[in-house]
Amino acid sequence: EVQLVESGGGLVKPGGSLRLSCAASGFTFSNYGMNWVRQAPGKGLEWVSSISSGSSYIYYADSVKGRFTISRDNAKNSLYLQMNSLRAEDTAVYYCVRDYENFDLWGRGTLVPVSS
Amino acid sequence: DVVMTQSPLSLPVTLGQPASISCRSSQSLVYSDGNTYLNWFQQRPGQSPRRLIYKVSNRDSGVPDRFSGSGSGTDFTLKISRVEAEDVGVYYCMQATHWPYSFGQGTKLEIK
């Protein structure tokens, strides 16, 4: 089955760090660019970061630039998001999204509450 | 940055009636390769988003043909020819022509 499964979410204090993972299966992961998109509780969708298939191209939203780092391990079919200096406004469900003709496959998301 | 503006933000529709959502971008979404990377997503209550339409008018596999996308440049529309109960949810447009990518605010479709 073609799917993306996020993990690593959980309660973290402001200023803390967290590393999200996304396990891909059912397709050739190394052929696709990948993305992270987040959704704050009751709010809309916000693009966070993108990485090309070979990690040559990486982009970030201004809201996370300098604090978040996207990476991937094609040998492990995995995507990552290292989140540092977390703020209350980073509280959201984080989705892993495949990029075939733009955002064709979404995971179920992992919740990251940032609170003291 | 490209701002995506959807209207309406709330859309009450009677079952079996048509529905239309507008999405306008603050800049042209035509990319240098000639493609227009404007996409539509549906998010049903409690679910992850699901792509319905890519590159303005291409329907994803498994998406009912009552959904259609149209438009060009900065003005785009998602139409549902006859709304069904399963169409309840929030609809988002999204541009992937310019960095940073951006989504519209979302349009909440409900049954009247």
Side-chain angles (χ1 to χ4, degrees), chain A residues 37-51:
Chain A
V37 173
R38 68 184 181 183
Q39 186 171 35
K43 302 296 185 184
L45 301 171
E46 179 188 13
W47 170 77
V48 173
S49 184
S50 297
I51 186 169

Side-chain angles (χ1 to χ4, degrees), chain B residues 14-85:
Chain B
T14 301
L15 286 173
Q17 292 301 301
S20 180
I21 301 171
S22 170
C23 175
R24 291 199 166 113
S25 58
S26 59
Q27 300 176 34
S28 172
L29 298 185
V30 180
Y31 190 56
S32 54
D33 64 3
N35 288 310
T36 299
Y37 294 99
L38 185 284
N39 312 285
W40 289 97
F41 299 87
Q42 175 195 59
Q43 187 174 31
R44 290 172 171 151
Q47 295 187 12
S48 302
R50 161 201 183 196
R51 195 179 68 183
L52 298 175
I53 303 282
Y54 63 97
K55 290 194 292 187
V56 181
S57 58
N58 297 275
R59 199 180 309 114
D60 269 279
S61 174
V63 174
D65 61 8
R66 64 179 182 277
F67 289 91
S68 64
S70 63
S72 63
T74 61
D75 206 343
F76 305 92
T77 303
L78 176 70
K79 292 183 178 176
I80 309 174
S81 57
R82 295 172 307 279
V83 169
E84 298 189 6

Side-chain angles (χ1 to χ4, degrees), chain A residues 4 9 49 80 93 111:
Chain A
L4 299 168
S49 184
Y80 306 102
V93 173
L111 177 62

